[in-house]
Amino acid sequence: MREFTARFATAEEIENWDKYVTANPDGGNMLQSAAYASVKNGSGWKVLFLVLESAGTASYNLVLEKRFPLLGGLWYLIKGPGLGGAAELPAALKACAALVRTQKLNVFTIKVEPDILATDDAQAHLGAAGLVKAPNIQSNDSTALLDISADSETVLKAITSRARNAVRRAEREGCEVLRREAGPETYRALYDLMADTVKAKGSMPLRSYDYYTRFWDEFCSRGQGSFFFAYEGGKPSVGAFVINYGAKATYKDGGSLQDRKQYGDSHLVQWTAIRHMQDLGCTEYDFCGTPPAARIKDKTHNLHGMGMFKTSFTKSVTDFVGCHDYILSPLKHRLWVRGGEKVFRRLETARTGQQFY
């Protein structure tokens, strides 16, 4: 069994954070990036930079920390820890617990959500680590992943005929997709399309405009974000924001007008983004959020429509293990799950108007 040690990152490692995260055994995740750290720091969370080391390898992970009266600290390893597999979880979490204990950090629970496939073997290792299932936080704990490592023609042939036909028809009928530079006009155009989609479908809550502008600014300023728009009648009709982080591309935000007439425009937006991500060196495209594989055809699921669209590019749904709690103080954790979390979430939302996580 591999052993781990845990420490906080040095100033040099923090300065070059993205270089280290994208070298993680799992390739890193854009929600562990320097850009996301900047978004979350000071917005109710304190950002910590955690390094797990074992036998010449290292894993770099963002820790989001909140502190609560009586309970102490909650750590959230967002989309982490970034490990080579589920078998490494027990030792990695023991190292985190040792760091908390030796530095007297007073943390009662560590939330983890590694991008580890939800298999029977993985579940066994989660149990061995003492992890307890918690409600999922991120929308892409189930998602559609597309391999884009081949040339674009090969990738186009590999997607479903429905998506391929939609792309080709949109091209034949003169639909044009344009990239737009980051800035207030672009941000407002995409946010308005997102709001229109949420109003029509109610698929998931929309954060404030200020949150999105900060988010988009941080990624774009680092060359890690791109905007794509289709137009109808001279106005934006479909929009998407896609992140390139290491070898992974993520379709993070998108929206569309509900009464548009162009067929295949949303598919062409995605196809244009995919080709641009290939040019940037990405080999995987994450459509970022679907229902679980077992519910992909369930029309009552709030992500059903999105799931149908995204799986028109790739038939399979990838289920990760999702969010789990690593309990350091059983009593405080019981208080948390039996009402503490609900109370603190309600208080913070009332105070800030923002989502808790």
Side-chain angles (χ1 to χ4, degrees):
M1 177 77 66
R2 176 179 288 192
E3 293 186 357
F4 282 85
T5 58
R7 62 175 175 84
F8 293 116
T10 65
E12 183 277 329
E13 288 169 327
I14 295 172
E15 179 69 22
N16 297 284
W17 186 249
D18 289 335
K19 179 185 75 172
Y20 289 107
V21 173
T22 54
N24 277 354
D26 66 349
N29 188 289
M30 59 93 180
L31 292 181
Q32 297 170 330
S33 65
Y36 194 69
S38 184
V39 170
K40 298 304 285 186
N41 202 19
S43 63
W45 294 94
K46 179 182 179 181
V47 174
L48 306 173
F49 299 87
L50 178 72
V51 184
L52 296 168
E53 294 175 307
S54 174
T57 64
S59 172
Y60 290 78
N61 302 270
L62 281 189
V63 177
L64 305 181
E65 180 188 78
K66 282 184 185 285
R67 305 201 72 83
F68 305 95
L70 302 178
L71 297 178
L74 172 72
W75 276 12
Y76 175 25
L77 271 68
I78 186 167
K79 299 306 283 185
L83 303 172
E88 298 178 351
L89 269 171
L93 290 172
K94 284 183 180 179
C96 292
L99 177 66
V100 168
R101 183 174 60 253
T102 57
Q103 295 202 13
K104 299 179 180 179
L105 301 176
N106 188 24
V107 173
F108 70 92
T109 294
I110 301 174
K111 283 189 174 293
V112 299
E113 53 182 4
D115 278 349
I116 292 173
L117 297 179
T119 64
D120 290 342
D121 181 66
Q123 294 300 329
H125 289 298
L126 294 173
L131 288 165
V132 175
K133 187 71 181 78
N136 288 347
I137 298 171
Q138 300 303 321
S139 62
N140 64 334
D141 285 321
S142 290
T143 191
L145 300 175
L146 179 65
D147 181 353
I148 61 171
S149 59
D151 63 272
S152 57
E153 189 60 31
T154 300
V155 174
L156 183 62
K157 290 179 180 178
I159 67 178
T160 69
S161 59
R162 174 190 164 200
R164 186 167 57 250
N165 292 338
V167 167
R168 288 174 171 166
R169 177 172 166 181
E171 290 177 326
R172 283 196 311 270
E173 296 181 357
C175 180
E176 186 178 17
V177 175
L178 302 176
R179 286 184 60 209
R180 283 179 55 163
E181 295 298 319
E185 288 188 11
T186 298
Y187 298 167
R188 177 52 68 181
L190 181 54
Y191 189 81
D192 286 349
L193 290 173
M194 293 165 63
D196 192 69
T197 301
V198 169
K199 181 179 179 180
K201 299 182 178 180
S203 52
M204 55 198 310
L206 192 64
R207 293 180 185 265
S208 70
Y209 176 72
D210 288 343
Y211 176 88
Y212 282 101
T213 59
R214 185 177 179 190
F215 186 99
W216 295 329
D217 262 338
E218 290 292 346
F219 280 94
C220 290
S221 67
R222 293 169 171 81
Q224 296 171 339
S226 300
F227 292 90
F228 303 87
F229 287 89
Y231 292 80
E232 190 170 287
K235 298 180 179 180
S237 56
V238 180
F241 176 70
V242 182
I243 292 170
N244 55 288
Y245 191 69
K248 298 180 180 180
T250 303
Y251 168 36
K252 174 61 177 62
D253 300 310
S256 60
L257 295 178
Q258 302 307 296
D259 59 351
R260 64 193 192 280
K261 299 177 181 179
Q262 291 180 132
Y263 180 84
D265 50 1
S266 55
H267 282 86
L268 186 58
V269 166
Q270 289 300 312
W271 179 238
T272 304
I274 287 168
R275 286 185 295 166
H276 182 67
M277 293 298 119
Q278 288 180 305
D279 291 341
L280 294 176
C282 295
T283 58
E284 180 181 79
Y285 193 91
D286 183 354
F287 285 90
C288 199
T290 67
R295 296 187 62 191
I296 190 62
K297 295 184 179 179
D298 181 354
K299 294 182 179 180
T300 66
H301 195 283
N302 67 320
L303 295 180
H304 171 73
M306 290 185 179
M308 290 295 97
F309 172 70
K310 293 171 181 180
T311 54
S312 70
F313 286 87
T314 173
K315 293 180 181 178
S316 61
V317 169
T318 298
D319 291 326
F320 295 115
V321 295
C323 193
H324 289 72
D325 286 349
Y326 186 65
I327 302 167
L328 301 183
S329 171
L331 174 59
K332 291 179 179 179
H333 184 264
R334 282 197 297 273
L335 293 173
W336 177 254
V337 299
R338 291 179 181 178
E341 181 182 20
K342 183 181 293 186
V343 169
F344 285 119
R345 289 182 72 162
R346 186 183 301 120
L347 289 173
E348 182 160 324
T349 299
R351 181 176 62 86
T352 66
Q354 301 294 327
Q355 294 181 32
F356 185 81
Y357 287 106

